[in-house]
Amino acid sequence: YKFFYNESISEPEIRVSHVIKGRVPNAINKPVNQLLESDKTIYYERMAFCLEIPSIYEDIEGNRLNLTIGGVRAYNHENLYSKKSAEKFKIFIGFKNLVCCNMCVSTDGYKDEIKVMSATDLFNAVINLFQLYNPARHLHLMNSFKNTYMTEHQFAQFIGKSKLYQCLPPKEKKLLPEMIFTDTHINAVAKSYYNDDNFKVDSNASEISLWSVYNLFTGANKNSYIDNFLDRSLNATTLTEGINRALLGDSEYRWFVE
């Protein structure tokens, strides 16, 4: 509220994963048969939160995008039975496509690891992220996707190469830009190319816009675990941006479409 004090802000949505039975820090070294009820606790292995700022929005191809803030706390990446160390968070600020609830994340709007020792440290780190984020540049990037199109042949090449990418020898893979979507995600993108309610290819057209392709990837990403979700959201953006450049003649991502 201090950073967006003139804007309307929605109530946060919070989701947690399965319950883990554990113990309080003071009982870490106690044998199991000596644990008291007061020594026991439960926690949720993963937690994700998200809130919208609907007064800051943009329309792209008839899709309303609201500015959105969120993050993930994942205990499965930490050793809870060691001495107290910095707490780790993933935080993002980006746009949510309301037609399908897909999340659009950019490089300057995401921190994949924020290490803090207090709530004050976390607050300061989040504010710093907000200050670095450029929503106008992010929107301009996404707007550019609607002006570039892939033929069915290019899309098929992209899907095929994305599946081949998983099997490349490590040396060859290191020579290419990172693509962290799995075969399951790629299969979902291919299926959605013909079946997605909002972004499928027009049966009367021979091309599909990169804006639609981008949303097929962010849509497939909904099947990711929450601790991987934000990394793949960002990868969808950088991957689509790279394909956009490749279709316009740049060489960095050309392997994916040739």
Side-chain angles (χ1 to χ4, degrees):
Y1 289 94
K2 290 186 178 181
F3 195 86
F4 297 102
Y5 54 88
N6 286 326
E7 308 295 342
S8 61
I9 301 176
S10 69
E11 290 294 319
E13 296 183 38
I14 300 172
R15 298 289 185 273
V16 295
S17 67
H18 56 287
V19 171
I20 302 293
K21 294 181 180 179
R23 56 180 71 186
V24 298
N26 292 337
I28 285 177
N29 296 316
K30 273 190 178 183
V32 175
N33 60 1
Q34 294 180 18
L35 288 177
L36 305 174
E37 284 302 312
S38 59
D39 295 327
K40 300 176 183 178
T41 187
I42 63 171
Y43 64 91
Y44 298 93
E45 189 172 78
R46 300 175 178 90
M47 182 277 291
F49 74 92
C50 191
L51 59 90
E52 294 179 33
I53 306 177
S55 55
I56 301 178
Y57 68 94
E58 183 64 75
D59 183 281
I60 299 179
E61 293 286 89
N63 303 157
R64 178 176 171 129
L65 277 66
N66 283 356
L67 187 65
T68 303
I69 296 166
V72 170
R73 178 79 164 98
Y75 281 131
N76 60 305
H77 293 304
E78 299 186 25
N79 182 358
L80 299 179
Y81 299 104
S82 64
K83 64 179 182 179
K84 173 70 175 177
S85 59
E87 305 281 342
K88 300 174 185 176
F89 295 83
K90 296 174 183 278
I91 303 292
F92 82 94
I93 178 170
F95 284 88
K96 179 179 178 180
N97 190 343
L98 298 193
V99 74
C100 53
C101 296
N102 290 359
M103 205 65 70
C104 308
V105 179
S106 65
T107 52
D108 62 350
Y110 175 46
K111 287 291 186 182
D112 64 346
E113 186 175 82
I114 293 177
K115 294 182 179 181
V116 297
M117 295 297 292
S118 67
T120 300
D121 292 342
L122 179 60
F123 176 82
N124 291 334
V126 170
I127 292 298
N128 183 60
L129 176 63
F130 293 169
Q131 291 171 335
L132 294 174
Y133 176 61
N134 187 332
R137 183 170 57 194
H138 189 188
L139 289 169
H140 176 75
L141 172 65
M142 291 188 292
N143 261 300
S144 70
F145 294 160
K146 70 182 183 182
N147 300 319
T148 305
Y149 289 80
M150 300 183 80
T151 65
E152 184 178 67
H153 176 75
Q154 288 171 327
F155 182 81
Q157 285 286 103
F158 183 28
I159 293 298
K161 287 293 187 71
S162 296
K163 292 177 75 67
L164 285 176
Y165 180 90
Q166 316 296 329
C167 305
L168 285 173
K171 282 187 177 181
E172 292 186 36
K173 188 179 289 188
K174 286 181 179 180
L175 299 176
L176 295 170
E178 186 177 44
M179 202 280 290
I180 61 176
F181 286 87
T182 67
D183 271 357
T184 300
H185 295 108
I186 301 304
N187 290 339
V189 170
K191 182 177 180 180
S192 297
Y193 178 79
Y194 293 110
N195 298 290
D196 189 88
D197 291 336
N198 301 296
F199 301 106
K200 64 183 177 183
V201 66
D202 187 340
S203 58
N204 297 317
S206 59
E207 297 179 318
I208 184 172
S209 73
L210 277 191
W211 171 246
S212 292
V213 173
Y214 174 55
N215 278 280
L216 295 184
F217 271 88
T218 54
N221 188 36
K222 292 174 185 175
N223 294 322
S224 298
Y225 281 110
I226 58 176
D227 50 331
N228 295 319
F229 177 81
L230 291 175
D231 296 289
R232 290 199 177 107
S233 294
L234 176 59
N235 191 230
T237 301
T238 55
L239 186 62
T240 308
E241 182 184 9
I243 297 303
N244 189 19
R245 296 200 310 268
L247 293 173
L248 297 175
D250 189 79
S251 61
E252 185 180 6
Y253 281 79
R254 186 180 298 164
W255 182 88
F256 285 96
V257 291
E258 287 188 349

